[in-house]
Amino acid sequence: MIADETIVLYRPVGRQELDLIRESGFMKFPPRLPEQPIFYPVLNEEYAVKIARDWNAKFNNPPEGYVTQFRVRSDFISKYDVQTVGAAILYQRR
């Protein structure tokens, strides 16, 4: 599969979720945690970093937030609408 057939998405996570992702061999995301019932990846690394820093890190002791990066087939992701949450940060295709 060539890069044009996929899109890069980012998912901010905390330590607990990152550990579960690592346990899967970095092959899947775990079921949602009670405090984060919605799974939503983001299109912009800058916004993902902001969420990891300003949100995920708040709820970890010590404060830690991470950003995962993954690719999804363009034909699959095209079935979903892009939702703008908070301030708009321009998406840059890679």
Side-chain angles (χ1 to χ4, degrees), residues 7 12 14 20 23 32 37 42 50-51 54 58 71-72 76 79 82 85 90-91:
I7 186 169
L20 293 171
E23 287 174 18
R32 303 306 308 134
V42 298
K50 178 177 175 34
I51 294 169
D54 297 349
K58 281 185 187 179
R71 290 187 174 275
V72 177
F76 174 80
K79 300 172 190 173
V82 174
V85 178
L90 295 177
Y91 166 67

Short mmCIF file of all heavy atoms in Angstrom, two decimals, residues 7 12 14 20 23 32 37 42 50-51 54 58 71-72 76 79 82 85 90-91:
data_model
loop_
_atom_site.label_atom_id
_atom_site.label_comp_id
_atom_site.label_asym_id
_atom_site.label_seq_id
_atom_site.Cartn_x
_atom_site.Cartn_y
_atom_site.Cartn_z
N ILE A 7 -3.97 7.69 5.26
CA ILE A 7 -3.93 9.00 5.91
C ILE A 7 -3.36 8.81 7.31
O ILE A 7 -3.61 7.79 7.96
CB ILE A 7 -5.34 9.63 5.96
CG1 ILE A 7 -5.28 11.05 6.49
CG2 ILE A 7 -6.31 8.78 6.74
CD1 ILE A 7 -6.57 11.82 6.30
N PRO A 12 -3.92 11.15 21.06
CA PRO A 12 -3.29 11.45 22.35
C PRO A 12 -3.73 10.41 23.39
O PRO A 12 -4.89 10.02 23.43
CB PRO A 12 -3.85 12.83 22.72
CG PRO A 12 -4.65 13.29 21.54
CD PRO A 12 -4.93 12.12 20.68
N GLY A 14 -2.75 8.67 27.58
CA GLY A 14 -2.03 8.74 28.84
C GLY A 14 -1.20 7.48 29.04
O GLY A 14 -1.16 6.59 28.19
N LEU A 20 -1.23 -0.32 27.53
CA LEU A 20 -2.10 -1.32 26.92
C LEU A 20 -1.82 -1.45 25.42
O LEU A 20 -1.86 -2.55 24.86
CB LEU A 20 -3.56 -0.96 27.17
CG LEU A 20 -4.02 -1.06 28.63
CD1 LEU A 20 -5.42 -0.47 28.79
CD2 LEU A 20 -3.97 -2.49 29.12
N GLU A 23 1.29 -3.50 25.14
CA GLU A 23 1.01 -4.91 25.40
C GLU A 23 0.43 -5.61 24.17
O GLU A 23 0.61 -6.83 24.01
CB GLU A 23 0.05 -5.06 26.58
CG GLU A 23 0.69 -4.78 27.92
CD GLU A 23 -0.32 -4.80 29.06
OE1 GLU A 23 -1.43 -5.37 28.89
OE2 GLU A 23 0.00 -4.26 30.13
N ARG A 32 -12.00 1.60 25.40
CA ARG A 32 -11.97 2.93 26.00
C ARG A 32 -11.96 2.84 27.53
O ARG A 32 -12.59 1.95 28.11
CB ARG A 32 -13.17 3.76 25.54
CG ARG A 32 -13.28 3.90 24.04
CD ARG A 32 -12.03 4.44 23.35
NE ARG A 32 -11.59 5.66 23.97
CZ ARG A 32 -10.33 5.92 24.30
NH1 ARG A 32 -9.38 5.07 24.05
NH2 ARG A 32 -10.00 7.05 24.87
N PRO A 37 -14.75 7.92 27.30
CA PRO A 37 -15.63 6.96 26.62
C PRO A 37 -15.64 7.05 25.10
O PRO A 37 -16.12 6.15 24.44
CB PRO A 37 -17.00 7.28 27.19
CG PRO A 37 -16.91 8.73 27.57
CD PRO A 37 -15.49 8.93 28.03
N VAL A 42 -7.15 12.45 15.85
CA VAL A 42 -7.12 13.80 15.29
C VAL A 42 -6.24 13.82 14.05
O VAL A 42 -5.39 12.96 13.85
CB VAL A 42 -6.67 14.86 16.33
CG1 VAL A 42 -7.64 14.92 17.50
CG2 VAL A 42 -5.28 14.59 16.83
N LYS A 50 -1.11 19.10 21.93
CA LYS A 50 -1.81 19.99 22.87
C LYS A 50 -2.75 19.19 23.78
O LYS A 50 -2.78 19.40 24.99
CB LYS A 50 -2.59 21.05 22.10
CG LYS A 50 -3.38 22.00 22.98
CD LYS A 50 -4.07 23.06 22.14
CE LYS A 50 -4.97 23.98 22.91
NZ LYS A 50 -4.60 24.33 24.26
N ILE A 51 -3.50 18.26 23.21
CA ILE A 51 -4.40 17.43 24.01
C ILE A 51 -3.60 16.57 25.00
O ILE A 51 -3.95 16.48 26.18
CB ILE A 51 -5.26 16.53 23.11
CG1 ILE A 51 -6.22 17.37 22.26
CG2 ILE A 51 -6.06 15.53 23.95
CD1 ILE A 51 -6.91 16.59 21.17
N ASP A 54 -2.22 19.09 27.65
CA ASP A 54 -3.19 19.85 28.45
C ASP A 54 -4.28 18.98 29.06
O ASP A 54 -4.94 19.42 30.00
CB ASP A 54 -3.85 20.93 27.60
CG ASP A 54 -2.86 21.97 27.09
OD1 ASP A 54 -1.71 21.98 27.57
OD2 ASP A 54 -3.25 22.75 26.20
N LYS A 58 -2.81 15.80 32.74
CA LYS A 58 -3.49 16.22 33.98
C LYS A 58 -3.95 15.03 34.81
O LYS A 58 -4.01 15.10 36.03
CB LYS A 58 -4.73 17.05 33.66
CG LYS A 58 -4.47 18.45 33.32
CD LYS A 58 -5.82 19.15 33.15
CE LYS A 58 -5.67 20.54 32.63
NZ LYS A 58 -6.96 21.19 32.46
N ARG A 71 -1.56 4.95 10.60
CA ARG A 71 -2.12 5.15 9.26
C ARG A 71 -3.40 4.34 9.10
O ARG A 71 -3.49 3.22 9.61
CB ARG A 71 -1.12 4.71 8.19
CG ARG A 71 0.07 5.62 8.08
CD ARG A 71 0.95 5.23 6.90
NE ARG A 71 2.00 6.22 6.75
CZ ARG A 71 1.87 7.36 6.07
NH1 ARG A 71 0.74 7.63 5.46
NH2 ARG A 71 2.86 8.22 6.01
N VAL A 72 -4.34 4.94 8.39
CA VAL A 72 -5.61 4.29 8.10
C VAL A 72 -5.83 4.38 6.59
O VAL A 72 -5.51 5.40 5.98
CB VAL A 72 -6.77 4.99 8.85
CG1 VAL A 72 -8.11 4.38 8.50
CG2 VAL A 72 -6.53 4.94 10.36
N PHE A 76 -11.28 3.68 3.70
CA PHE A 76 -12.02 3.42 4.93
C PHE A 76 -12.39 4.72 5.65
O PHE A 76 -13.53 4.93 6.01
CB PHE A 76 -11.19 2.52 5.86
CG PHE A 76 -11.82 2.32 7.21
CD1 PHE A 76 -12.84 1.41 7.37
CD2 PHE A 76 -11.41 3.07 8.30
CE1 PHE A 76 -13.45 1.23 8.61
CE2 PHE A 76 -12.00 2.91 9.54
CZ PHE A 76 -13.03 1.99 9.69
N LYS A 79 -15.35 7.34 4.80
CA LYS A 79 -16.74 7.10 5.21
C LYS A 79 -17.16 7.98 6.40
O LYS A 79 -18.33 8.05 6.73
CB LYS A 79 -16.93 5.63 5.58
CG LYS A 79 -16.63 4.68 4.45
CD LYS A 79 -16.66 3.25 4.95
CE LYS A 79 -16.14 2.31 3.87
NZ LYS A 79 -16.00 0.95 4.36
N VAL A 82 -15.28 14.67 8.97
CA VAL A 82 -14.33 15.36 9.82
C VAL A 82 -15.11 16.31 10.71
O VAL A 82 -15.95 17.08 10.23
CB VAL A 82 -13.29 16.14 8.98
CG1 VAL A 82 -12.39 16.98 9.88
CG2 VAL A 82 -12.46 15.18 8.14
N VAL A 85 -13.30 20.35 16.48
CA VAL A 85 -13.49 20.50 17.91
C VAL A 85 -12.52 21.57 18.38
O VAL A 85 -11.34 21.52 18.06
CB VAL A 85 -13.20 19.17 18.65
CG1 VAL A 85 -13.35 19.35 20.15
CG2 VAL A 85 -14.10 18.08 18.13
N LEU A 90 -5.09 23.97 10.94
CA LEU A 90 -5.11 23.46 9.57
C LEU A 90 -4.47 22.09 9.49
O LEU A 90 -3.41 21.84 10.06
CB LEU A 90 -4.39 24.42 8.63
CG LEU A 90 -5.04 25.78 8.46
CD1 LEU A 90 -4.17 26.65 7.54
CD2 LEU A 90 -6.44 25.65 7.88
N TYR A 91 -5.12 21.21 8.77
CA TYR A 91 -4.62 19.86 8.53
C TYR A 91 -3.69 19.91 7.33
O TYR A 91 -4.02 20.48 6.30
CB TYR A 91 -5.79 18.91 8.26
CG TYR A 91 -5.36 17.60 7.67
CD1 TYR A 91 -4.60 16.72 8.42
CD2 TYR A 91 -5.72 17.25 6.39
CE1 TYR A 91 -4.20 15.51 7.89
CE2 TYR A 91 -5.32 16.05 5.85
CZ TYR A 91 -4.58 15.17 6.61
OH TYR A 91 -4.17 13.99 6.07
#
